[in-house]
Amino acid sequence: MTINLKVKQEKRKGLSINDIQDGFFILRNDDVWIVKMDVTNRNKIHLIDLETFHVKTVSTKNELKSLFENWNRIKILSPKQVNLNIGFQWKE
């Protein structure tokens, strides 16, 4: 599977953990997660790893912040800032 994520534009200041909303992306080096806010409980945040499609759920933004070791190395991007293409290759 090929994942191609291109950043169209980065905001000068960048987004902070308080800006995170449904559909945002979290980047750490080559690792990418999609943020999915829980519709039944807005405090729960689901992170979908685009490499493995594993889902990690956290209860608060503070728990999200502690999930990543060094928050200074994390980029938060809105859906308008990225172009995402996922390609699947089926083999028999």
Side-chain angles (χ1 to χ4, degrees):
M1 175 177 64
T2 304
I3 296 176
N4 184 3
L5 182 107
K6 291 189 179 186
V7 178
K8 291 187 211 175
Q9 65 178 21
E10 281 195 59
K11 298 194 186 286
R12 258 184 316 134
K13 178 184 166 244
L15 298 170
S16 74
I17 191 166
N18 295 324
D19 298 319
I20 290 179
Q21 297 176 23
D22 191 42
F24 275 45
F25 295 88
I26 296 177
L27 283 70
R28 180 179 61 193
N29 300 325
D30 290 335
D31 300 322
V32 181
W33 294 266
I34 295 177
V35 175
K36 178 67 180 152
M37 304 302 266
D38 194 315
V39 292
T40 59
N41 183 349
R42 287 296 285 172
N43 289 334
K44 286 192 176 182
I45 302 167
H46 305 290
L47 299 173
I48 304 162
D49 186 335
L50 284 184
E51 184 175 353
T52 62
F53 291 103
H54 289 136
V55 178
K56 172 77 175 164
T57 301
V58 294
S59 299
T60 64
K61 288 186 179 179
N62 285 334
E63 189 178 340
L64 172 64
K65 192 170 185 176
S66 67
L67 181 66
F68 295 98
E69 297 166 2
N70 185 355
W71 196 254
N72 295 330
R73 294 178 48 203
I74 301 297
K75 288 184 182 179
I76 301 170
L77 301 172
S78 74
K80 293 180 181 179
Q81 291 177 269
V82 300
N83 182 10
L84 175 67
N85 295 304
I86 301 175
F88 294 93
Q89 182 177 6
W90 298 100
K91 292 185 179 181
E92 293 189 27

